[in-house]
């Protein structure tokens, strides 16, 4: 685990595991954790595991978008277009980011807008779950053809190009975690340790 942007009010990974030995933090308690990262990075599985550990709610942006549109994500793209999806995603993001004691899993494209990652509500811890294009495609593929942006003859090339365009946005998260070879439960535990180090628990 490493600190991603050097400017946030959160501890470095070195501090994360120290639990009660960590210096008391002047920061107010974290009220929400926002997971960002590419498709297949594990936002839903890690987010659900973390929410269980904290006894908080888990809210998935895509699930809410799908519910509001009355269509699966793939169908929203096909029937209404990406622009419609992005408008709904913006609205849902604004609303879910008002909730407290919540773990949020954004869609992979949500952070990709000027100012979004920089203007999160106070007491939000943002976490970038990192994944390689190859692993993203493998994991997404196991869920069937649910990702319209990876549909094409060479999904790994699509993933690689898209990830390259997005890295500068994801890297604005307060912390980043490598997900490859790590169980969701272990990643959730690491995030919880970080929160404890900041005085959340
Ligand atoms: C998208 C990611 C998807 C979903 C939509 C667009 C993206 O969510 O929001 O297919 O632009 O990266 P996941 O990141 O949960 O797969």
């Amino acid at each position: 685990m490493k600190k991603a942007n050097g400017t946030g009010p959160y501890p470095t990974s070195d501090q994360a595991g120290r639990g009660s030995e960590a210096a008391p933090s002047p920061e107010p308690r974290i009220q929400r954790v926002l997971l960002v990262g590419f498709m297949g990075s594990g936002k839903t599985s890690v987010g659900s595991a973390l929410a269980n550990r904290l006894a908080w709610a888990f809210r998935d942006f895509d699930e809410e978008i799908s519910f509001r549109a009355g269509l699966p994500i793939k169908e929203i793209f096909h029937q209404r277009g990406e622009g419609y999806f992005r408008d709904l995603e913006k609205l849902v993001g604004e609303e879910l980011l008002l909730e407290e004691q919540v773990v949020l899993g954004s869609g992979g494209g949500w952070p990709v807008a000027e100012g979004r990652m920089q203007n999160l509500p106070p007491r939000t811890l943002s976490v970038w779950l990192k994944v390689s294009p190859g692993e993203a495609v493998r994991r997404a593929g196991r869920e069937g053809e649910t990702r319209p942006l990876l549909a094409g003859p060479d999904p790994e090339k699509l993933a690689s190009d898209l990830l390259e365009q997005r890295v500068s946005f994801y890297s604005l998260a307060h912390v980043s975690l490598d997900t490859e070879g790590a169980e969701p439960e272990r990643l959730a535990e690491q995030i919880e340790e970080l929160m404890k180090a900041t005085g959340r628990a």
Side-chain angles (χ1 to χ4, degrees):
M1 182 183 351
K2 65 174 184 268
K3 192 161 187 285
N5 66 16
T7 57
Y10 300 101
T12 62
S13 54
D14 298 345
Q15 293 168 303
R18 289 186 198 156
S20 58
E21 289 166 40
S25 165
E27 292 302 323
R29 286 182 171 213
I30 294 164
Q31 282 296 341
R32 68 191 69 72
V33 176
L34 172 70
L35 302 180
V36 300
F38 202 66
M39 293 171 262
S41 58
K43 299 180 295 285
T44 303
S45 49
V46 175
S48 305
L50 178 62
N52 271 339
R53 299 180 74 92
L54 299 170
W56 283 7
F58 173 66
R59 304 277 268 134
D60 182 90
F61 283 26
D62 278 354
E63 200 175 300
E64 186 62 25
I65 293 165
S66 183
F67 174 76
R68 292 196 192 187
L71 290 169
I73 300 297
K74 185 180 164 189
E75 287 307 315
I76 301 176
F77 272 74
H78 286 161
Q79 295 182 25
R80 310 218 174 136
E82 184 171 352
Y84 178 92
F85 173 83
R86 295 297 173 201
D87 288 348
L88 197 48
E89 183 180 50
K90 177 172 185 284
L91 190 75
V92 163
E94 283 165 2
E95 289 182 22
L96 293 185
L97 276 161
L98 296 174
E99 294 190 5
E100 300 205 328
Q101 304 210 327
V102 68
V103 180
L104 301 173
S106 81
W110 181 84
V112 188
E114 261 344 294
R116 249 181 219 176
M117 291 296 287
Q118 294 94 328
N119 294 313
L120 295 173
R123 299 195 274 169
T124 304
L125 174 68
S126 54
V127 181
W128 173 21
L129 298 180
K130 298 173 88 171
V131 68
S132 68
E135 182 60 15
V137 168
R138 272 188 293 282
R139 289 187 198 165
R142 284 201 286 269
E143 294 168 29
E145 290 179 4
T146 54
R147 308 314 202 280
L149 296 181
L150 297 181
D154 189 350
E156 194 162 331
K157 170 87 170 75
L158 289 172
S160 173
D161 291 349
L162 203 51
L163 185 55
E164 197 180 312
Q165 293 162 28
R166 292 177 171 183
V167 161
S168 61
F169 293 94
Y170 295 151
S171 64
L172 294 168
H174 297 121
V175 289
S176 64
L177 284 174
D178 279 316
T179 65
E180 266 160 80
E183 288 300 317
E185 193 57 51
R186 173 65 193 132
L187 293 166
E189 189 185 333
Q190 283 180 273
I191 299 170
E192 193 185 12
E193 282 168 4
L194 263 172
M195 295 171 72
K196 280 185 185 153
T198 63
R200 151 63 181 79

